[in-house]
């Protein structure tokens, strides 16, 4: 959690400094050509969006098995996937996106509205993800451990305790909404509401 908070504060500070103070670090921005920034932006965006969509699909497949070993393995690995694919992808996309914006428009502060809309959407996504996804990962793990223990005690085939815990179903909704945030981000970047200038 401390590492995640540090990451969030650092990335937010980077965006805020570039929006309210000016291009920073200017020497590094000038040293990296815009096509390189765009390439990194596309790669980061694919890692971020692909990670969200992939983990959503995989979690639904895992949950559908109702296999205790598979469920336990998955819910122990979700944070690792988030930290190794989703967050680095988002970091690359945001930093290179700011660099590209500075190359194209001179400053984040005077960029077209669609670029600001991306940051608003990302802020809403971060709040949603923090409240509904991150907070339910440990709850789901604990609930599934209790569910698995009860199934073992009653017998694997026992129909009385075959229904998964509610938190697992809530995560499905959370993951689907997260995918809609990804779709919204891609729609904003593609349709560019607020102008192309």
């Amino acid at each position: 959690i401390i590492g995640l908070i540090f990451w969030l504060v650092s990335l937010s500070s980077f965006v805020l400094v570039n929006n309210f103070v000016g291009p920073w670090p200017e020497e590094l921005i000038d040293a990296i050509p815009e096509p390189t920034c765009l390439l990194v932006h596309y790669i980061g965006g694919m890692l971020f969006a692909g990670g969200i969509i992939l983990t959503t699909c995989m979690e639904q497949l895992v949950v559908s098995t109702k296999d205790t070993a598979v469920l336990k393995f998955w819910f122990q690995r979700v944070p690792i996937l988030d930290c190794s694919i989703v967050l680095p992808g988002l970091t690359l996309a945001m930093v290179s996106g700011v660099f590209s914006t500075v190359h194209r428009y001179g400053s984040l502060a005077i960029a077209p509205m669609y670029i600001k809309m991306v940051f608003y959407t990302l802020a809403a996504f971060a709040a949603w993800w923090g409240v509904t996804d991150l907070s339910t990962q440990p709850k789901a793990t604990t609930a599934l451990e209790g569910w698995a223990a009860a199934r073992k005690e009653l017998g694997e085939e026992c129909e009385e305790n075959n229904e998964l815990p509610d938190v697992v179903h809530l995560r499905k909704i959370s993951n689907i909404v997260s995918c809609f945030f990804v779709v919204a981000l891609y729609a904003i970047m593609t349709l560019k509401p607020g102008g192309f200038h």
Side-chain angles (χ1 to χ4, degrees), residues 49-70:
I52 297 290
I53 294 167
L54 176 69
T55 55
T56 295
C57 294
M58 288 191 61
E59 188 162 314
Q60 295 321 302
L61 288 172
V62 166
V63 167
S64 70
T65 68
K66 293 190 177 181
D67 183 304
T68 53
V70 173

Side-chain angles (χ1 to χ4, degrees), residues 33-157:
E34 186 181 4
T36 303
C37 293
L38 287 172
L39 177 63
V40 172
H41 186 65
Y42 299 148
I43 292 170
M46 285 189 294
L47 286 171
F48 167 68
I52 297 290
I53 294 167
L54 176 69
T55 55
T56 295
C57 294
M58 288 191 61
E59 188 162 314
Q60 295 321 302
L61 288 172
V62 166
V63 167
S64 70
T65 68
K66 293 190 177 181
D67 183 304
T68 53
V70 173
L71 286 162
K72 183 178 179 182
F73 177 84
W74 173 255
F75 280 99
Q76 289 174 342
R77 299 308 184 277
V78 170
I80 296 168
L81 285 169
D82 286 342
C83 290
S84 59
I85 297 173
V86 176
L87 296 181
L90 180 57
T91 304
L92 285 173
M94 287 184 71
V95 171
S96 59
V98 169
F99 282 21
S100 295
T101 301
V102 171
H103 278 296
R104 189 163 291 181
Y105 305 107
S107 168
L108 191 58
I110 60 170
M113 179 52 75
Y114 78 90
I115 292 181
K116 292 173 176 47
M117 289 173 69
V118 166
F119 287 108
Y120 299 147
T121 306
L122 282 171
F125 168 76
W128 173 261
W129 187 64
V131 170
T132 68
D133 189 272
L134 284 181
S135 66
T136 60
Q137 286 174 5
K139 290 177 189 172
T141 303
T142 304
L144 284 168
E145 285 170 358
W147 176 79
R151 277 187 86 187
K152 190 173 184 180
E153 189 176 301
L154 296 171
E156 285 287 331
E157 300 304 318

Side-chain angles (χ1 to χ4, degrees), residues 63 163-174:
V63 167
E163 187 61 31
L164 288 164
D166 288 341
V167 69
V168 175
H169 299 295
L170 289 173
R171 284 186 57 77
K172 179 179 184 177
I173 295 166
S174 168

